[in-house]
Amino acid sequence: MSFNTFGRIFTFTTWGESHGPALGATVDGCPPGVALDEAFIQQFLDRRRPGTSKFTTQRQEPDQVRILSGTFEGRTTGTPIQLMIENTDQRSKDYGEIAQAFRPGHADIAYHLKYGIRDYRGGGRSSARETAARVAAGGVAQAVLRDLVPDLRITGYMCQMGNLHLDPANFDASQIGQNPFFLPDASAVPAWEDYLNAIRKDQNSVGAAIEVLIQNCPPGLGAPVYAKLDTDLAAAMMSINAVKGVEIGEGMAAAALTGTENADEIRMTPDGPEFLSNHAGGILGGISTGQDIVVRFSVKPTSSILTPRRTINQRGEEIELITKGRHDPCVGIRAVPIAEAMAACVILDHLLLDRAQTGGVRGRIG
Ligand SMILES: Cc1cc2nc3c(=O)[nH]c(=O)nc-3n(C[C@H](O)[C@H](O)[C@H](O)COP(=O)(O)O)c2cc1C
């Protein structure tokens, strides 16, 4: 199976399966001299880790990262960084019933049609366990970004779960880490808890939407045709398991706008150009403008549910399937730190590309 590598200059290759002994990422292209240790990467993994609230799977995976190479005396050396996370809570017996059956909505049937090999234990390589490796790689990217662009902020949060929507008027970033939903509105948390409890009791699951806000991104990242920053951000988000749609700025809502409504008018200030609105989501012509970059994506409901669904088995027989095991009722929740990691890797890769091509020259205005 090929295509396990992300990026152009800052790259990572993930390896491993959900029920193998370990998984990880080999990060290459990381500049030398960047302060990096396991504790720094661990903080990102801890945000993604399952079992942290009753609304995520009760699988207990400590997701302890080890750095096997690429650092010396707490700094990167510029050589490949090997990151490893041991799998400690695999229960293959949880998957006994689906060994022969294809879960509707999961990758089982497509994998079988392509590879003809079935690793039913957690879906093997299609399992979102793989995203732990990306979050670890994202931690390396965050360490580099902290050095290169100290003001850059990447903030992910839930903005929708089922038919509950975040009220933008209540947005409070300080609340994101204070509740199980990465929700920037403390007042909405009880309603979100009741809603998800009801979904779970109903032996069901639900979809979600996540927004990632990238603040203080330098202008000039991206390229006009085949390395558009928006293309790469969209691909990065779409590569996360269960993501079904990605939008930048107004996204699909732009279809309903007129040109006068959508124009982000420009004024001149002593500090440089200023945009009066941000319908574009911080990217024009594939290149960052210096405005906030706004990426939004939808995550489908968890396909493994306890309510019987009609499907077929490997012998082609029509059956009804209940998927037991420990599954998140809303996988969108844990997609938040994964999306932040992917955003960090895309921005760093583009920062290094931009330095390689332009040496960081910036067009002056005024
Ligand atoms: C963090 C995270 C955890 C996930 N956990 C589960 C799970 O426990 N059970 C499940 O059926 N799907 C889970 N998924 C979704 C599947 O991995 C995904 O739906 C599957 O690989 C099929 O791929 P697709 O939905 O992208 O087409 C999870 C997704 C994410 C992002």
Side-chain angles (χ1 to χ4, degrees):
M1 195 190 286
S2 49
F3 307 114
N4 296 295
T5 302
F6 161 91
R8 297 180 178 87
I9 294 186
F10 178 82
T11 69
F12 66 82
T13 303
T14 68
W15 51 270
E17 293 81 28
S18 67
H19 284 59
L23 51 78
T26 311
V27 178
D28 204 359
C30 179
V34 176
L36 182 72
D37 60 17
E38 288 164 353
F40 183 80
I41 300 175
Q42 193 61 47
Q43 61 179 313
F44 300 100
L45 281 163
D46 287 348
R47 294 180 71 231
R48 178 208 164 277
R49 193 159 55 85
T52 49
S53 89
K54 61 179 177 173
F55 298 113
T56 59
T57 172
Q58 292 308 300
R59 292 189 299 263
Q60 291 300 329
E61 289 151 348
D63 285 356
Q64 210 68 47
V65 70
R66 284 182 62 200
I67 300 176
L68 301 186
S69 69
T71 61
F72 179 63
E73 294 182 337
R75 292 197 176 268
T76 59
T77 56
T79 60
I81 300 170
Q82 181 69 303
L83 304 170
M84 187 183 78
I85 298 161
E86 281 180 53
N87 288 322
T88 55
D89 190 28
Q90 319 98 311
R91 285 194 210 163
S92 297
K93 71 175 170 49
D94 280 349
Y95 297 97
E97 284 185 40
I98 58 160
Q100 296 293 319
F102 300 112
R103 284 170 292 176
H106 214 289
D108 307 336
I109 194 161
Y111 266 54
H112 193 73
L113 289 171
K114 182 176 174 72
Y115 299 106
I117 287 178
R118 188 78 194 279
D119 183 350
Y120 54 82
R121 307 158 311 159
R125 188 69 182 155
S126 74
S127 163
R129 272 298 289 151
E130 185 271 348
T131 59
R134 301 167 185 228
V135 171
V140 178
Q142 295 271 16
V144 184
L145 288 170
R146 196 175 49 163
D147 264 18
L148 296 183
V149 199
D151 292 341
L152 186 99
R153 292 280 168 277
I154 298 173
T155 312
Y157 45 87
M158 295 256 281
C159 55
Q160 186 183 345
M161 182 173 64
N163 57 27
L164 300 179
H165 293 259
L166 169 70
D167 179 352
N170 293 345
F171 185 94
D172 178 358
S174 71
Q175 290 302 316
I176 295 170
Q178 308 300 316
N179 62 75
F181 301 108
F182 299 107
L183 187 60
D185 174 8
S187 68
V189 172
W192 284 49
E193 282 179 342
D194 291 349
Y195 181 78
L196 197 52
N197 273 328
I199 293 276
R200 208 176 33 182
K201 273 201 196 104
D202 221 15
Q203 309 199 320
N204 214 341
S205 61
V206 72
I210 285 92
E211 196 159 87
V212 180
L213 188 61
I214 306 169
Q215 293 164 296
N216 302 319
C217 178
L221 304 195
V225 187
Y226 298 118
K228 289 186 175 186
L229 186 59
D230 37 3
T231 307
D232 286 353
L233 282 168
M237 298 308 152
M238 195 59 115
S239 76
I240 300 170
N241 309 52
V243 173
K244 295 307 276 185
V246 186
E247 302 183 325
I248 311 280
E250 289 290 347
M252 294 301 282
L257 296 180
T258 63
T260 48
E261 289 165 332
N262 192 56
D264 295 321
E265 293 181 288
I266 310 171
R267 302 281 78 200
M268 197 61 200
T269 76
D271 297 329
E274 181 191 48
F275 295 88
L276 302 186
S277 55
N278 189 13
H279 297 287
I283 302 173
L284 289 171
I287 299 173
S288 61
T289 61
Q291 284 192 283
D292 288 353
I293 296 174
V294 186
V295 187
R296 214 167 20 260
F297 61 91
S298 69
V299 179
K300 74 186 195 186
T302 323
S303 52
S304 301
I305 49 175
L306 286 164
T307 302
R309 298 282 87 190
R310 287 175 296 174
T311 187
I312 56 169
N313 62 23
Q314 239 164 277
R315 287 188 297 277
E317 297 157 342
E318 293 184 347
I319 56 167
E320 279 209 341
L321 181 70
I322 295 172
T323 308
K324 297 190 186 125
R326 298 162 291 165
H327 301 277
D328 297 51
C330 176
V331 292
I333 299 174
R334 290 202 294 131
V336 174
I338 304 166
E340 290 174 338
M342 293 308 290
C345 292
V346 172
I347 296 295
L348 175 58
D349 196 32
H350 272 278
L351 208 61
L352 298 179
L353 278 167
D354 179 62
R355 288 207 311 195
Q357 189 191 2
T358 70
V361 291
R362 294 277 170 259
R364 274 182 59 83
I365 294 175

